[in-house]
Amino acid sequence: MSTNPRNALNFSGGPGALPESVLAEVQQSIVEVPETGLSILGISHRSDWFAAVVDEAERNIRTLLGLSENYHVLFLQGGATQQFSMVPMTLLRGKEHPAEYIDSGYWSRKVIAEARREGPVKTIWSGESCGFNRLPTDDELSFSADAPYLHYVANETVEGLQFHRVLGRDDVPRICDMSSDFLSKPCDAEKFSVIYAHAQKNIGPAGVTVVLVKDEIAQQASDDLPSFLNYRKHIEARSNLNTPPVFAIYVVLLVTRWLLNDVGGLEKMAQINRSKAELLYSALDNADGFYRGWAARADRSTMNVAFNLPNAQLQQAFFEQSRALGFSGLEGHRAIGGVRASIYNALSVQAAQKLTEFMDSFHRQHR
Ligand code: PMP
C-alpha cells in the first residue's frame, strides 16, 4: 500500500513520479548516505564514493541494455536540449550533405530548429499536414546513403506518438532522442550511434541527461568546440568535467538498481508499461467516441496517453473531479491542450487502473 497516495497518482508529463522505494532511500540520503556519514547534498564530486556511483550507474545501464565497450555512457548537463545542438556540432558543422530529420511533433520541431543553426538539414517527413496525430509508415520514408546522420524522436511526449520500430539504414548513423521512453522497454541500443535521454521521465530527477555515444562518433568532435560541448572531453573526464549534478546522478543509480533488482529488467518493465497503456487505451476505445485519442492507433505511445473530451466544459469538469480524487498532472501540454496521462516506469498498474475506473465513471455520468 502506498505511503503517499497523491504521489502514487501523479500522471505528470515530466518530471514524473519516481519509485517509492527510491524516494525512501533518497530521503535517507539527504540526511546521511550510510557509507559516508554525509548528506548527499554535500558530498564532493571528486570523492571516491561519487566515482563509484558513476561507475555503477554506467555498469547498470550497460547491463540493462546489453551495451558493449564500443559505447560510452555519459551523464551530462544541459538537458536533452543541449543534445539538440551537441549532435550537429559534432557531426554536421561544415558538411555538404544534409542530415536527415523526421518532424514528428513538438519536440522534433525544437530539435530541427537547433540543428539548422549548425548545418544543412533535410526534413524527410513531417506530420504537420496531418496535425501531428500519426507517424510515417515505411512506405513514406526513404533515407539517403549520403546523409551524415538520421535523427528522430523515439517518443513524442506531447502528442503521445511512439515509434515501435527502428528507422533508417545501417550505413548511416542513427541518432535518437529517447528522453521519454529510455529504459522503459528493451532497446536495440547498438543500432544507434547516439542515444540521449534526460532523466526526468523514467529514470530520475531533472538535471542529468544520459548520453550513449559510439566511440567512433565521439572521436569526430572537433577540438574547436568548447570543452563542455565536446563528447571526447566528457569521456576523458568520466562525466566529471565540471561539477556534475551529484544528487541527480545518485538518484539515477538508485533507479537503475530498482530496474535490475526489483522490476527484473527491461522486458519486465515493458510488460508492466504495456499493461498500463492497454488499460488506458481501452478506456478510450470503450467510450463510444466520448474520449478522442490524439494518436493514430498504430503509433500510440506506451508512455503518454493524450486525448480530448467533447468540449471545454467537460474537460474542465474532468480536471476538477480527477483532482478531487487525488489525481494530478493530467493537463495536456500547453502546445496542444486536452488531457495527457503519462504512465512512466514508476507509475503503478493500480494507478492506471484507478484512472480507467474514473474515466469509465466520468463517461457514464456525462454521456
Ligand atoms: N525531448 C523530449 C522527447 C522531451 O519530452 C523533452 C522535454 N519534455 C525534451 C526533449 C527537452 O528536454 P530538456 O527540458 O531536458 O531539455
Side-chain angles (χ1 to χ4, degrees):
M1 190 56 203
S2 173
T3 49
N4 181 349
R6 274 192 72 83
N7 200 53
L9 296 178
N10 180 6
F11 287 80
S12 162
L18 289 172
E20 260 195 55
S21 60
V22 168
L23 292 180
E25 268 187 276
V26 170
Q27 192 179 12
Q28 160 70 28
S29 77
I30 301 280
V31 181
E32 180 189 329
V33 175
E35 308 94 271
T36 66
L38 300 174
S39 160
I40 180 72
L41 301 180
I43 294 183
S44 167
H45 62 299
R46 299 289 173 205
S47 62
D48 290 345
W49 179 82
F50 182 63
V53 165
V54 172
D55 284 352
E56 189 191 333
E58 171 180 338
R59 224 172 28 247
N60 290 351
I61 290 172
R62 285 186 188 281
T63 306
L64 285 162
L65 292 170
L67 197 67
S68 75
E69 294 298 321
N70 250 344
Y71 286 76
H72 302 280
V73 178
L74 296 174
F75 300 97
L76 304 186
Q77 298 178 73
T81 301
Q82 181 166 291
Q83 297 308 307
F84 298 174
S85 300
M86 246 173 115
V87 165
M89 279 177 178
T90 309
L91 295 175
L92 192 57
R93 274 194 185 173
K95 292 279 158 55
E96 185 194 332
H97 291 292
E100 298 191 323
Y101 279 72
I102 295 180
D103 176 19
S104 51
Y106 181 85
W107 287 108
S108 293
R109 313 212 103 189
K110 300 262 185 199
V111 184
I112 292 169
E114 295 302 327
R116 286 196 195 287
R117 297 175 199 277
E118 300 298 330
V121 166
K122 183 177 172 197
T123 299
I124 59 167
W125 186 87
S126 173
E128 189 169 14
S129 61
C130 61
F132 296 106
N133 67 1
R134 70 171 184 92
L135 296 175
T137 59
D138 284 336
D139 293 345
E140 293 173 291
L141 294 171
S142 89
F143 305 99
S144 160
D146 298 323
Y149 61 88
L150 163 74
H151 182 287
Y152 65 97
V153 176
N155 182 69
E156 285 284 1
T157 322
V158 172
E159 295 85 357
L161 293 163
Q162 186 175 32
F163 283 103
H164 298 293
R165 65 193 191 282
V166 172
L167 303 181
R169 42 194 299 156
D170 291 339
D171 56 353
V172 170
R174 296 181 178 93
I175 317 282
C176 198
D177 176 353
M178 293 195 190
S179 290
S180 48
D181 64 359
F182 188 59
L183 301 189
S184 71
K185 60 184 170 63
C187 147
D188 219 341
E190 300 214 353
K191 289 208 155 167
F192 297 85
S193 293
V194 179
I195 291 174
Y196 59 91
H198 61 209
Q200 65 261 27
K201 310 288 196 239
N202 283 304
I203 59 164
V208 63
T209 298
V210 178
V211 181
L212 313 181
V213 56
K214 204 174 187 173
D215 187 58
E216 68 191 48
I217 297 289
Q219 296 313 327
Q220 292 176 43
S222 155
D223 277 333
D224 294 338
L225 289 172
S227 303
F228 200 71
L229 302 174
N230 185 327
Y231 291 119
R232 269 189 301 119
K233 302 287 180 195
H234 288 286
I235 292 166
E236 283 158 22
R238 297 205 52 71
S239 299
N240 212 326
L241 184 70
N242 68 324
T243 314
V246 170
F247 174 73
I249 295 173
Y250 177 63
V251 181
V252 170
L253 166 64
L254 298 181
V255 173
T256 59
R257 282 185 188 160
W258 173 80
L259 280 169
L260 280 168
N261 306 328
D262 297 24
V263 176
L266 296 186
E267 194 48 67
K268 291 268 175 53
M269 193 70 255
Q271 276 167 22
I272 296 168
N273 286 331
R274 267 197 307 271
S275 44
K276 290 181 281 182
E278 275 160 20
L279 280 167
L280 291 177
Y281 287 116
S282 44
L284 294 189
D285 293 340
N286 296 334
D288 308 320
F290 181 76
Y291 297 115
R292 275 161 295 153
W294 182 276
R297 264 167 201 263
D299 309 314
R300 284 174 163 179
S301 166
T302 56
M303 298 276 99
N304 312 97
V305 180
F307 58 95
N308 282 293
L309 279 97
N311 58 51
Q313 287 90 326
L314 282 172
Q315 178 174 302
Q316 192 56 26
F318 184 93
F319 288 140
E320 279 166 17
Q321 289 189 27
S322 61
R323 238 178 266 134
L325 291 168
F327 294 99
S328 67
L330 286 169
E331 295 78 10
H333 189 275
R334 61 190 188 284
I336 67 168
V339 183
R340 175 179 55 171
S342 297
I343 44 178
Y344 299 129
N345 284 352
L347 195 103
S348 68
V349 176
Q350 291 90 319
Q353 180 76 50
K354 275 200 165 164
L355 182 57
T356 57
E357 284 160 15
F358 168 69
M359 287 169 67
D360 289 344
S361 95
F362 189 85
H363 167 227
R364 278 196 306 276
Q365 214 181 312
H366 293 283
R367 68 185 154 191

